[in-house]
Amino acid sequence: MIGQKPEGDRKHPVDETLPPLKMFTSGLQHVAAMYAGVVAPPMIVGPACGLSATETAFLMGASLFTAGIATLLQTLGFWKVGAKLPFVNGVSFAGVTPMVAIGKSQSPGHALPVIFGAVIVAGVLGFLLAPYFSKLVRFFPPVVTGTVITLIGVSLLPVAFNWSQGGNPQAPDYGSLTNIGMAALTFVIVLVLRRALRGFLQQIAILLGLVAGTLIAIPVGITHFAALGKASLIGFPTPFHFGAPQFDIAAIVSMCIVMLVCMTESTADMLALGKIVGRPADERTIEGGLRADTLGTALSPLFNGFANSAFAQNIGLVAMTKVRSRYVVATGGLILIVLGLCPVAASVISLVPLPVLGGAGIVLFGSVAASGIQTLASAAMEKGDNALIVAAAVGIGLIPIAAPDFYHALPKDLLVVLDSGISTGCLVAIVLNLAFNHFGSRDAETAPDTGAPGDPEVAPPARLATEGGAGEPAAAPAH
């Protein structure tokens, strides 16, 4: 048609820029979805290392600042760094348990320098391993990726349920009718907005739902303004504020294991996001993404931050809103940096009560699981042993969720891997896929189609469950 760009000249939606207002509000929506996940680890690690409330608040600001830097590395990238997908990075929960253990084993004043030294070494090691680790993409066919994406969504749902109850099991109002009622109300508001609104407003329904829920929570009495009054206007995370890094062998080994776990989860997250945005993550994309993760991790301790990795909850936001531009997430990264430099601004975001965030989180995280189920629909489940692979991997992956104390008698070093249902489920799916569909295939001619994502032999899903309405075609893959 006259005036229409040729097919080859069109930008992929991932590389499109939006008008400034849409860019800002969509980026802010990503920040709102992951804010609690970024500040939670320093809230746990700080007291374990003997920090005061003021020092812990400083650590939270530093985590926001370093998450913003890591997000920019991931979305914009340079050289061979960055997946250049709408990928949000932040402090990894996988490192919380070992960091708390390190903090308790060190004398006051030395805990954080030891943690930071271990994080730097782990980040450098991960950066060097990225080109080799990325080659594992061939071991992630649809039967594996679908299982892992489903586990990502299911594993995040308990986080939303915890937020819905109040977030702190020791609090007297944890699980109260007020908290659960606010979560349910926000859940309904988000669904109604998604159904009733159109265009851009529909895309920011989560953000609008969070604002509406927060306003309703004010007269209810669960929106607290104390932090806003105490926050400073400007607060730069001074490099090595808690002292120069120290290098302890045991701490380094522990954090290197955490780094490998983070790289495994990030690989799975990149494959999931690649399918959702219509640009399958190949080996080069994963290599760049892992380099961004690990470089961000190595740089974080300079500004008093911890290990960074992909935030799976934001994948659900991309799937739901269908806003696939990486520049939107890069805008979110800039907002994170501003929040890290301006405690007052960070306090405004923190006004969103956890029950309100939990109600929206149920929709977000459920969207990720729905995408995984749709991917499994293309994995030839009726042939071979694929159904058995999924059953075993999902079963093992759900252990940390359904029975959190299941592995309590095992060595603590193993818990870094075993307590992550995503990591264990991913490893089980990979091993069983190799055993049943490669080394142990009974009939090569009738073996199920388990080619890696993006291979020509494998037809991609007709559409993702979270993209479009009935009968709406999926976005064309990148050329």
Side-chain angles (χ1 to χ4, degrees):
M1 296 176 64
I2 297 175
Q4 187 174 17
K5 290 184 179 180
E7 185 72 23
D9 293 340
R10 296 179 190 170
K11 282 186 178 180
H12 191 281
V14 168
D15 298 318
E16 288 181 344
T17 56
L18 304 181
L21 179 60
K22 290 185 178 181
M23 194 86 76
F24 175 77
T25 51
S26 298
L28 183 61
Q29 188 169 235
H30 275 282
V31 173
M34 54 91 74
Y35 180 89
V38 174
V39 299
M43 288 175 63
I44 299 170
V45 175
C49 295
L51 300 188
S52 65
T54 302
E55 291 173 325
T56 301
F58 178 90
L59 205 61
M60 292 163 58
S63 295
L64 290 168
F65 181 78
T66 54
I69 293 175
T71 298
L72 292 179
L73 288 174
Q74 192 68 265
T75 52
L76 303 181
F78 69 95
W79 183 56
K80 296 181 180 180
V81 176
K84 297 182 180 178
L85 291 172
F87 223 32
V88 175
N89 276 44
V91 183
S92 172
F93 268 97
V96 170
T97 301
M99 286 192 294
V100 168
I102 294 170
K104 292 180 177 179
S105 67
Q106 299 293 323
S107 59
H110 291 276
L112 281 176
V114 169
I115 290 174
F116 291 149
V119 170
I120 290 173
V121 174
V124 172
L125 175 66
F127 188 85
L128 296 175
L129 290 178
Y132 309 100
F133 204 92
S134 63
K135 296 184 185 300
L136 296 177
V137 67
R138 69 189 67 179
F139 301 122
F140 288 83
V143 68
V144 175
T145 56
T147 300
V148 174
I149 296 169
T150 303
L151 280 173
I152 289 172
V154 174
S155 297
L156 287 171
L157 282 171
V159 177
F161 300 152
N162 180 50
W163 289 346
S164 299
Q165 296 176 86
N168 181 11
Q170 280 71 48
D173 64 342
Y174 184 75
S176 66
L177 181 61
T178 299
N179 287 343
I180 294 178
M182 278 306 309
L185 180 59
T186 306
F187 175 80
V188 172
I189 289 173
V190 170
L191 292 181
V192 170
L193 290 176
R194 281 288 301 174
R195 184 69 181 85
L197 298 178
R198 292 291 182 269
F200 173 64
L201 291 177
Q202 185 184 60
Q203 294 172 350
I204 62 169
I206 294 291
L207 181 60
L208 296 176
L210 292 175
V211 171
T214 302
L215 293 175
I216 295 172
I218 293 175
V220 173
I222 61 173
T223 300
H224 304 292
F225 296 88
L228 188 61
K230 297 178 181 178
S232 304
L233 181 61
I234 299 176
F236 184 77
T238 313
F240 297 130
H241 176 80
F242 297 98
Q246 300 176 18
F247 302 95
D248 178 85
I249 296 299
I252 289 173
V253 171
S254 183
M255 292 310 299
C256 284
I257 294 174
V258 169
M259 194 74 259
L260 293 175
V261 172
C262 291
M263 292 172 74
T264 301
E265 292 187 356
S266 288
T267 298
D269 289 342
M270 277 183 269
L271 290 167
L273 186 60
K275 283 187 172 293
I276 288 171
V277 301
R279 178 182 279 180
D282 56 15
E283 186 177 314
R284 182 178 298 178
T285 301
I286 292 175
E287 180 180 339
L290 293 178
R291 279 199 174 110
D293 274 3
T294 53
L295 180 59
T297 295
L299 292 176
S300 284
L302 173 64
F303 300 104
N304 314 286
F306 303 124
N308 286 296
S309 66
F311 263 47
Q313 53 261 53
N314 291 81
I315 296 175
L317 190 57
V318 173
M320 173 175 290
T321 63
K322 294 182 283 184
V323 177
R324 295 178 277 176
S325 170
R326 60 190 173 102
Y327 296 106
V328 163
V329 176
T331 302
L334 291 174
I335 294 173
L336 286 170
I337 291 176
V338 171
L339 294 178
L341 296 175
C342 182
V344 169
S347 298
V348 172
I349 299 293
S350 68
L351 291 179
V352 180
L354 284 180
V356 172
L357 197 59
I362 294 173
V363 183
L364 286 177
F365 306 156
S367 298
V368 180
S371 295
I373 294 170
Q374 183 64 32
T375 302
L376 286 174
S378 68
M381 296 290 287
E382 75 282 358
K383 300 179 182 177
D385 298 305
N386 281 357
L388 184 60
I389 294 172
V390 174
V394 170
I396 297 297
L398 288 178
I399 288 177
I401 303 170
D405 297 325
F406 187 85
Y407 299 113
H408 75 279
L410 299 182
K412 291 184 178 180
D413 291 340
L414 292 177
L415 297 183
V416 176
V417 177
L418 296 177
D419 276 347
S420 170
I422 299 171
S423 296
T424 53
C426 179
L427 292 174
V428 170
I430 291 172
V431 171
L432 293 183
N433 177 62
L434 289 173
F436 293 164
N437 291 325
H438 294 272
F439 305 133
S441 180
R442 292 186 292 269
D443 186 345
E445 294 183 358
T446 60
D449 187 359
T450 55
D455 284 354
E457 297 81 21
V458 181
R463 61 181 177 88
L464 290 172
T466 52
E467 286 198 48
E472 184 176 338
H479 294 289

